[in-house]
Amino acid sequence: MNVYDELGIRTIINGNATLTRLGGSIMPAEVVAAMVEASKHFVDIIALQKRVGEELARLTRNEAAYVSCGAAAALTLSTAACITGLDASKRERLPLGSGERNLATMKSEVIVHRYGRVGYDFAVRQVGVTFVEIGDENGTSPDELEAAITARTAALFYFANPSREHLWVPYEEGIAIAKRHGVPVIVDAAAQLPPKENLWRFTEMGADVVMFSGGKGLCGPQSSGLIVGTQQLIDAIAFNGPPHPFIGRGMKVGKEEMVGLLAAVKWYLKHADTFQQVYEEQVVYFAQEFADVPEVTVHRSFPSEAGQPMPRTEIRFDESRLGITRDAILHKLAEGEPSIDIAGAGANGVLINGQTLMPGEVEIIARRLKEILKI
């Protein structure tokens, strides 16, 4: 019996994605051990954050780094940093109110591509800024970006998503325009691991601050986030963050998460190159398992739902010949034993993401599908 059994909570085989609602990722033993060790001692949290940041910066080829309370907190703190710098009087005015926006000393606007908007950008707006949208469904011109920059512009914001980037001013060009006007560039790359090169790719282009979820591809603590960028902005992020009693106070990061994320980044960089082959082998396995079932077809889906360069297994069902709908299959997987969560695809298919599967779970999913389909 485990702790979830005692609470009456079912555990789930996650073949869907590194979703927050499912707990992100499973932490490797090295990360768990580091967090347990960190929990046994008192330390100076500010000193620990600084030292862990130095190590994370070295590992990820960046000037500076910071551990946040998840990637959403990273967005809030990064936006705040772009507004306040190390000015204590500005820090005290956050979040911005309607009156503050009229102060000449306070920047209050963030530029975003209209077709780069996502629900998560609430974390940016939480600071009290106004979004200035540029572009449309046909794309965005560099001139539109340049025209949107004013004395009130605090930052240019990109939500990294390869499937939409053709509608945006390319990163390099947008960064160059922003730099000409002294405007920092924020890139939300929370789900953009793999590839591991993204840990330094955006900052090498010139982005000022980039954030990643600690609990997705990195397989670190679910409540952690990694921010990399310039020393100037990382210092301003720490200035606004915990334990200081300002906008970031509620975004507390424990010593366990700091040390755990550092261990996770070390683990990820050591093993990242081996993951791709595992995902490819999973696709091949499902194709072989259903090769003799004409009502079921298996395809390699690439890239992932987040635009990551990793394959997933797409399985399509001939519902009329099988006598069961795709949605009924998903329901039986979720309600069965063990409970299995995978994503639907189109009208009659499912997608199985290997990124969150543990050894032996591919076989369990295949067996359960065969039981449900009675094949």
Side-chain angles (χ1 to χ4, degrees):
M1 177 174 287
N2 62 39
V3 64
Y4 296 112
D5 294 328
E6 294 176 2
L7 292 169
I9 299 295
R10 299 181 72 196
T11 57
I12 297 170
I13 291 178
N14 178 9
N16 195 323
T18 55
L19 301 173
T20 297
R21 69 173 178 84
L22 294 177
S25 297
I26 300 295
M27 292 187 293
E30 298 94 319
V31 176
V32 175
M35 295 181 73
V36 170
E37 181 62 27
S39 73
K40 297 178 181 178
H41 308 277
F42 292 105
V43 295
D44 182 318
I45 287 294
I46 294 178
L48 178 65
Q49 178 71 272
K50 184 175 185 297
R51 185 69 190 95
V52 167
E54 291 170 348
E55 282 299 294
L56 287 169
R58 179 183 64 81
L59 288 166
T60 62
R61 310 181 192 181
N62 282 284
E63 185 178 322
Y66 181 91
V67 181
S68 63
C69 179
L75 283 174
T76 303
L77 291 174
S78 297
T79 306
C82 291
I83 295 171
T84 70
L86 298 178
D87 188 325
S89 66
K90 291 181 180 179
R91 179 176 65 175
E92 292 177 358
R93 296 172 184 170
L94 298 182
L96 294 170
S98 58
E100 301 292 356
R101 291 194 179 94
N102 296 322
L103 293 176
T105 56
M106 296 289 282
K107 298 181 183 294
S108 60
E109 295 178 351
V110 172
I111 298 172
V112 61
H113 293 82
R114 180 171 288 110
Y115 282 81
R117 294 289 305 273
V118 292
Y120 305 116
D121 64 30
F122 177 80
V124 176
R125 291 183 286 120
Q126 189 173 330
V127 182
V129 297
T130 299
F131 272 143
V132 176
E133 295 185 344
I134 56 175
D136 56 28
E137 69 276 9
N138 297 312
T140 311
S141 72
D143 288 343
E144 287 177 278
L145 169 56
E146 191 120 30
I149 298 175
T150 72
R152 296 183 298 278
T153 305
L156 168 61
F157 172 63
Y158 281 91
F159 177 80
N161 186 330
S163 68
R164 297 185 185 181
E165 289 171 4
H166 64 285
L167 296 172
W168 307 341
V169 177
Y171 292 112
E172 295 95 332
E173 193 168 5
I175 290 168
I177 292 170
K179 284 190 178 301
R180 285 203 299 270
H181 294 272
V183 172
V185 176
I186 300 172
V187 178
D188 178 358
Q192 295 305 314
L193 294 172
K196 68 179 182 182
E197 289 78 12
N198 278 351
L199 288 168
W200 52 85
R201 181 170 75 93
F202 297 103
T203 46
E204 285 182 351
M205 290 181 190
D208 297 273
V209 63
V210 184
M211 60 279 308
F212 302 89
S213 172
K216 293 187 183 295
L218 290 173
C219 294
Q222 169 66 356
S223 57
S224 69
L226 170 64
I227 312 176
V228 297
T230 66
Q231 188 68 60
Q232 181 180 10
L233 270 180
I234 294 297
D235 287 346
I237 286 167
F239 183 68
N240 281 279
H244 307 300
F246 299 98
I247 194 167
R249 173 64 182 183
M251 304 167 191
K252 190 178 296 183
V253 184
K255 56 188 183 296
E256 297 83 6
E257 284 75 25
M258 294 182 199
V259 171
L261 183 61
L262 176 58
V265 171
K266 291 178 179 178
W267 175 88
Y268 178 77
L269 291 173
K270 180 179 179 180
H271 297 284
D273 292 336
T274 67
F275 298 148
Q276 193 77 2
Q277 184 58 36
V278 173
Y279 305 148
E280 296 287 2
E281 290 171 356
Q282 291 173 353
V283 177
V284 172
Y285 173 81
F286 281 110
Q288 292 173 342
E289 284 293 298
F290 293 96
D292 297 328
V293 185
E295 299 87 358
V296 178
T297 55
V298 178
H299 307 269
R300 178 181 182 270
S301 176
F302 187 91
S304 74
E305 78 289 343
Q308 302 154 315
M310 52 177 282
R312 294 177 297 168
T313 303
E314 182 176 356
I315 303 179
R316 299 175 189 162
F317 307 101
D318 186 331
E319 297 178 342
S320 61
R321 295 175 66 185
L322 289 167
I324 186 172
T325 66
R326 187 279 308 276
D327 289 346
I329 293 170
L330 289 175
H331 178 76
K332 286 179 177 293
L333 286 172
E335 297 301 317
E337 186 59 45
S339 177
I340 298 171
D341 191 306
I342 59 178
N348 65 338
V350 298
L351 283 165
I352 301 172
N353 187 337
Q355 193 177 23
T356 45
L357 291 175
M358 297 296 104
E361 291 182 342
V362 170
E363 292 81 1
I364 294 173
I365 293 173
R367 186 183 71 243
R368 286 289 295 125
L369 281 172
K370 290 179 177 181
E371 291 172 354
I372 293 168
L373 299 176
K374 296 183 169 67
I375 55 176

